[in-house]
Structure formats: structure tokens, C-alpha cells
Amino acid sequence: MLHNVYLYGGQVTSWKNAHGEELLFVSSKASFRPPRAIRGGIPICFPQLKSTGSLEQYGFARNRIWSIDPDPPSSPSDISHKAFVDLILTHSEEDMKIWPHRYEYRLRVALGPTGDLMLTSRIRNTNTDGKSFTFRFAYQTYFFVTDISEVRVEGLETLDYLDNLKNGERFTEQEDAITFESEVDKVYLSTPTKIAILDHERKRTFELRKYGLPDAVVWNPWDKKAKAMADFGDNEYMHMLCVEAACVEEPITLKPGEEWKGRQEISAIPSSYYSEQLDPRRLLLSG
């Protein structure tokens, strides 16, 4: 299992399984230089999502050059990590003109013993003027899928969601699983820890586990939007799906000195194995 991380955006751009197959989508037209964010991988959205504030659409973290963290916080899980890298982003004088707060953002990207990809974010308010700050956040994970029409997402059924294609109106999910035949841009609220993305064509299931991130964004631009994006191939929508561990509805507020932690872990497993885990009849038969 390999992964690539760019200092630009603090962004993971590659995650491969033991067979060398790429599991994340990056557009063939992606730009890897400022000012445009890298289209694909796992962009970090902070401190804003969409047009929820006065900043650029997804905040500035994904457009900044991060540094290797010289003094990362130690963690008991270090021993179990196969490999990890610690990055840090702090306020700059330029950023304070558009977002007048001091912060320290520490990001650990790690591979678990079985190749799971883990991202842990720690954001601390380092304001010296006594002011709190509020932010929204997302790991905007672009999963590589074989054929979007053969993909289903499980774990979000019966939940409320905000439909960004209908001015953020609130609905309740009626389907047993989410499938794709047109553009989708939804924010599911108060979601469970685990979400599954099933790629039937590849017989692969991604399992996303998230902590400290109550919401989940599901996005695919479909054909018309794909053609309108300069950094996205016309037909690439067929081979990607964004499922984002996020904090959208209720922003996070930190007082000076306070720290927030948000983590996501993703694994890729054969779908047959995943079905056995979900199906109680199979478990009983094998008992």
C-alpha cells in the first residue's frame, strides 16, 4: 500500500492497494500549482465550505503550502502505523487579512497495518486577543470507481439531507441505498460512524469511518457540470465519487487554547467479504 502527499494543500493524491491499484481519483486535467486546488485525492476544506462565509468556496487550507511538522503530538497509535507523515499549517499575515484569527492546524496522514488510510486533523485556536473562532470542515475524498452507474452508497438511508441542487432544501432519504443516474450534491446530517461505497464492477467496497465529523457530503457532477470544469475531463465523472466526512450544519467554535480533532479512516475490501459482515444469516450459517 502506497500513498502520496503534497505539501501544496496538505493533500493526499494517491492511495494504492497491495496489487498496486489506485483507489483515489485525480483528474487527468488537475493542476498541482497555486492558485487552483488539486482536483482529486483528498482536499482539506477549512475554514469554510461552499458559500457559508466570505472566503473562497472551500476555504484556504487546500490552496496553501503546508510544512512538515517538526514537533508532532505523540500518539499511542504510532506503533500500529505502518508509515505516517505529520504536516502543519498556521496563520499567515496574508490570511489574517481575510480571516483574522491565529490557528495551528496539525494533520497526520498514516497507513495502518492492513493498508487503511487514516487522516487525523487537530485544529487549535491560538488567538492572543481572547477571541473565539468558528469554522466548518470536510475531508473531500474523491474515490476512484469503475462505473458510477454501478455504485451504491449504504449507511445513509432514512437520514435527513440538504440538497444543494435545490437551494439547500431539507429532505429525508427514501431509498435503501444511494445510486447514481444524474448529478448529486447532498449533505447528509447526523450520519453514522461507518459509510460503505460499493463498486459492483470491481467487486470492491470502500468503508469510510469518521470521528468528530457528524455530516457526510455525497457529490458527483455528472456530464454537464463535468464539461464546464476546466480541470476535469468530460467523461471523468463516470470514474469518481466524492463522499466527504464533514461538519456542515453546525459549525465548530473554539475558544483560545481549545483544540478540535476530526479523523477519517478508509479501507478497501473485497465486496464478498463485506456482504458476509453485513448479512446476519451468513454469520449464523458460519457460526
Side-chain angles (χ1 to χ4, degrees):
M1 293 267 187
L2 298 169
H3 68 292
N4 289 344
V5 186
Y6 271 76
L7 289 178
Y8 178 51
Q11 191 159 329
V12 178
T13 56
S14 177
W15 172 46
K16 293 181 179 179
N17 64 14
H19 306 293
E21 296 169 321
E22 183 56 63
L23 303 171
L24 297 177
F25 166 87
V26 175
S27 173
S28 61
K29 295 188 170 185
S31 167
F32 291 81
R33 290 185 299 277
R36 194 186 285 276
I38 301 168
R39 173 71 69 187
I42 310 179
I44 302 281
C45 302
F46 165 84
Q48 177 181 303
L49 292 180
K50 291 276 189 180
S51 50
T52 52
S54 58
L55 303 173
E56 53 205 271
Q57 204 178 23
Y58 289 97
F60 48 69
R62 63 187 196 145
N63 300 93
R64 298 294 181 267
I65 306 291
W66 294 53
S67 306
I68 300 290
D69 191 345
D71 186 26
S74 61
S75 160
S77 57
D78 289 359
I79 306 150
S80 66
H81 291 162
K82 203 169 172 182
F84 61 88
V85 62
D86 289 289
L87 303 180
I88 188 166
L89 182 70
T90 56
H91 57 274
S92 68
E93 293 308 313
E94 283 301 303
D95 287 344
M96 287 191 70
K97 291 174 186 172
I98 56 169
W99 199 65
H101 301 292
R102 296 173 184 271
Y103 68 90
E104 202 173 67
Y105 183 155
R106 287 188 146 92
L107 172 68
R108 168 165 290 189
V109 180
L111 281 177
T114 57
D116 295 5
L117 179 62
M118 295 172 273
L119 280 79
T120 306
S121 291
R122 289 180 172 87
I123 297 170
R124 181 180 290 277
N125 180 339
T126 57
N127 275 337
T128 52
D129 58 6
K131 286 185 180 169
S132 299
F133 65 64
T134 296
F135 65 93
R136 288 179 168 85
F137 181 92
Y139 291 116
Q140 194 178 25
T141 307
Y142 285 74
F143 291 95
F144 175 80
V145 298
T146 320
D147 177 354
I148 188 63
S149 65
E150 296 290 324
V151 170
R152 56 192 277 139
V153 177
E154 296 181 356
L156 302 174
E157 50 278 4
T158 74
L159 298 180
D160 282 5
Y161 65 87
L162 308 176
D163 193 336
N164 287 326
L165 302 180
K166 296 181 179 174
N167 298 317
E169 202 177 328
R170 194 179 186 117
F171 298 92
T172 301
E173 184 57 64
Q174 304 294 339
E175 303 298 327
D176 291 340
I178 300 162
T179 55
F180 302 89
E181 50 193 34
S182 60
E183 184 185 354
V184 173
D185 188 355
K186 296 176 178 177
V187 181
Y188 288 84
L189 308 171
S190 304
T191 57
T193 300
K194 287 184 187 179
I195 299 169
I197 299 113
L198 286 72
D199 183 342
H200 290 299
E201 193 93 357
R202 191 61 59 98
K203 296 183 170 56
R204 176 190 292 143
T205 295
F206 293 106
E207 185 180 271
L208 185 152
R209 299 176 297 281
K210 56 192 184 54
Y211 309 90
L213 295 157
D215 306 321
V217 181
V218 178
W219 178 69
N220 183 291
W222 220 251
D223 54 351
K224 282 184 187 168
K225 280 255 172 81
K227 289 188 171 98
M229 290 190 281
D231 59 348
F232 196 92
D234 288 358
N235 295 314
E236 287 184 332
Y237 73 92
M238 296 172 68
H239 306 298
M240 57 72 65
L241 177 65
C242 276
V243 180
E244 311 169 23
C247 188
V248 182
E249 190 180 35
E250 293 290 334
I252 299 142
T253 298
L254 293 179
K255 293 174 186 167
E258 286 186 337
E259 183 180 86
W260 169 84
K261 182 177 172 183
R263 185 160 59 98
Q264 88 165 13
E265 302 172 358
I266 45 178
S267 357
I269 45 184
S271 290
S272 56
Y273 170 82
Y274 199 81
S275 301
E276 284 167 17
Q277 298 305 297
L278 288 180
D279 189 341
R281 292 166 299 175
R282 298 247 186 137
L283 293 175
L284 287 170
L285 287 170
S286 63

